[in-house]
Amino acid sequence: MTLLYAGLMSGTSLDGIDAVLVEASPGGRLRAHHHQPLPAPLRAELLALNQAGGPNELARAAMAARDLAEAYAEALAALLRAAGVPAPAVRAVGAHGQTVRHQPALGYTVQLLDASRLAERGGIDVVADLRSRDVAAGGQGAPLVPAFHAARFGQAGTPRAVLNLGGIANLTLLGADGSVRGFDTGPANALMDHWVERQLGLPFDADGRWAAAGRVHTGLLTALRDEPYFSLPPPKSTGRDLFDAAWLDARLVHGPGATPQDVMATLAALTASTVADALQAHAPGTRWLRVCGGGARNAHLMQRIREALPGVDVQDTGAEGVAPEHVEAWAFAWLAQAFVERRAGNLPAVTGAAGPRLLGALYPA
Ligand SMILES: Nc1ncnc2c1ncn2[C@@H]1O[C@H](COP(=O)(O)OP(=O)(O)O)[C@@H](O)[C@H]1O
Ligand SMILES: [Mg+2]
């Protein structure tokens, strides 16, 4: 019988939970995917908890972790229903939780999730808290997806790159020699979603159509690109701790005359240009880039990335048979498998950890 693993991912975009059911690697295929939006009050509370300084944070964090576990359990149940698979057939579920703080330099990263509750509801072994051990070993705890990108998309002899456009963008560099590097390049959907929400009351800019009709404001783009994070050497990772509404607001003064739509176009240009800079700086010979994450559905952003990288074959991961919204959740199912098989999940060359480490904590069914 084929061993099955589930992955449950909710990223910094806070759009919802991506759940996948996959066959064990290597060579496993995806059996089912389910996307479940976060309940609006929970989403709002998680966003609020991303900001330091609110009242009674400890109790609110615990309650949000509890509610998120219930939402994860629903997503998992819906996934298994869609696949027609009973819970005992799944060996383990890798559950990411919701990042509300990410400060690896201070020795911590916080992913909220009441994993005990998910084990209680789901009846499947849960592997959670997948980032802390890498941070304890001196690493960034992020990105964790490059090892999976290498396993799934790598090809010996050819330099390749994989870009995940989530709330934050992260780039994986697969060297022709089999080396794997990776780091967060900077903001992607988190700032764009915030802006379109604030200006139009929409959760995101479908296909980037609104941005596409705006004009890039050069002065504003320069001010945004002036952020020191972009020129920091890897290993590096970031999140809403840095790239939040306040970060954007502090720079809007540099965009006199920019309409809200121009700001949106400029934010898309920021993501495209910081990704292109990162690729050119760290892997200039790469001519093959595959894009995953929800941002791969943003046609305007994809177009901007292509323009910023002439000569590079830029397509979404669908071209390799894996839909863009499946990749990250699959990576966490893959990390759960690594845990079960007692294999290291991190790549020290990516995260900067002192060595390979077993990632995650087990919450038995
Ligand atoms: N059709 C689309 N057009 C533009 N943007 C999209 C589209 N579909 C998804 N997105 C973007 O992708 C985001 C979700 O991406 P995701 O990979 O789940 O990020 P995260 O891992 O941060 O949750 C949404 O918030 C939205 O910004
Ligand atoms: Mg998401």
Side-chain angles (χ1 to χ4, degrees), residues 221 225 268-280 286-287 289 300-312 314:
L221 182 60
R225 284 167 49 82
L270 173 69
T271 297
S273 67
T274 49
V275 164
D277 287 352
L279 187 69
Q280 279 153 355
T286 308
R287 292 282 166 270
L289 176 67
H300 172 69
L301 181 58
M302 288 291 283
Q303 185 54 34
R304 286 246 156 235
I305 292 171
R306 287 193 183 97
E307 286 164 10
L309 290 169
V312 180
V314 180

Side-chain angles (χ1 to χ4, degrees), residues 3-362:
L3 265 184
L4 298 177
Y5 285 87
L8 294 170
M9 177 69 204
S10 52
T12 39
S13 296
L14 280 163
D15 58 313
I17 301 159
D18 283 297
V20 297
L21 185 70
V22 298
E23 297 170 355
S25 291
R29 60 183 188 94
L30 184 133
R31 291 278 188 92
H33 169 252
H34 172 73
H35 176 83
Q36 186 162 305
L38 288 176
L42 177 57
R43 179 179 198 277
E45 179 67 344
L46 289 167
L47 255 181
L49 284 166
N50 267 279
Q51 300 292 320
N56 205 10
E57 279 183 324
L58 275 177
R60 285 169 51 212
M63 290 188 284
R66 174 200 66 196
D67 293 348
L68 187 67
E70 296 288 353
Y72 267 47
E74 276 175 38
L76 181 60
L79 176 75
L80 297 187
R81 272 197 305 278
V85 165
V90 182
R91 179 64 188 83
V93 48
H96 180 269
Q98 192 65 49
T99 300
V100 290
R101 294 287 190 287
H102 185 66
Q103 298 288 349
L106 300 177
Y108 67 89
T109 180
V110 181
Q111 284 74 49
L112 293 182
L113 180 70
D114 182 350
S116 295
R117 185 170 293 265
L118 178 57
E120 179 70 23
R121 293 279 182 274
I124 302 173
D125 283 4
V126 175
V127 181
D129 190 21
L130 288 136
R131 299 192 188 274
S132 297
R133 183 60 188 270
D134 185 84
V135 173
Q140 293 286 313
L144 296 181
V145 289
F148 175 72
H149 290 164
R152 199 77 207 177
F153 303 115
Q155 191 182 64
T158 332
R160 289 183 159 188
V162 182
L163 173 67
N164 177 33
L165 292 172
I168 299 292
N170 58 272
L171 186 64
T172 298
L173 304 173
L174 305 169
D177 57 356
S179 65
V180 184
R181 292 173 296 154
F183 53 90
D184 290 349
T185 59
N189 299 315
L191 285 181
M192 292 191 290
D193 287 353
H194 161 74
W195 190 249
V196 76
E197 217 287 311
R198 185 157 133 191
Q199 298 298 329
L200 304 181
L202 297 172
F204 63 91
D205 179 19
D207 307 330
R209 274 190 293 254
W210 192 52
R215 285 183 10 195
V216 175
H217 189 293
T218 316
L220 178 58
L221 182 60
T222 304
L224 296 173
R225 284 167 49 82
D226 207 23
E227 163 60 48
Y229 178 83
F230 298 128
S231 45
L232 279 180
K236 60 176 178 175
S237 60
T238 188
R240 287 183 183 270
D241 305 55
L242 174 61
F243 294 109
D244 63 355
W247 183 89
L248 177 59
D249 283 348
R251 287 154 183 81
L252 285 178
V253 290
H254 299 287
T259 66
Q261 204 166 11
D262 295 342
V263 172
M264 191 68 178
T266 307
L267 287 174
L270 173 69
T271 297
S273 67
T274 49
V275 164
D277 287 352
L279 187 69
Q280 279 153 355
H282 297 284
T286 308
R287 292 282 166 270
W288 189 101
L289 176 67
R290 292 296 175 267
V291 186
C292 60
R297 300 294 183 200
N298 183 326
H300 172 69
L301 181 58
M302 288 291 283
Q303 185 54 34
R304 286 246 156 235
I305 292 171
R306 287 193 183 97
E307 286 164 10
L309 290 169
V312 180
D313 170 24
V314 180
Q315 299 184 56
D316 74 59
T317 53
E320 311 309 312
V322 187
E325 36 283 293
H326 296 169
V327 176
E328 227 193 347
W330 196 336
F332 281 88
W334 188 86
L335 286 169
Q337 183 185 344
F339 178 92
V340 166
E341 296 172 358
R342 295 295 185 271
R343 283 187 284 109
N346 65 336
L347 294 174
V350 171
T351 64
R357 293 290 186 271
L358 191 61
L359 301 183
L362 176 66

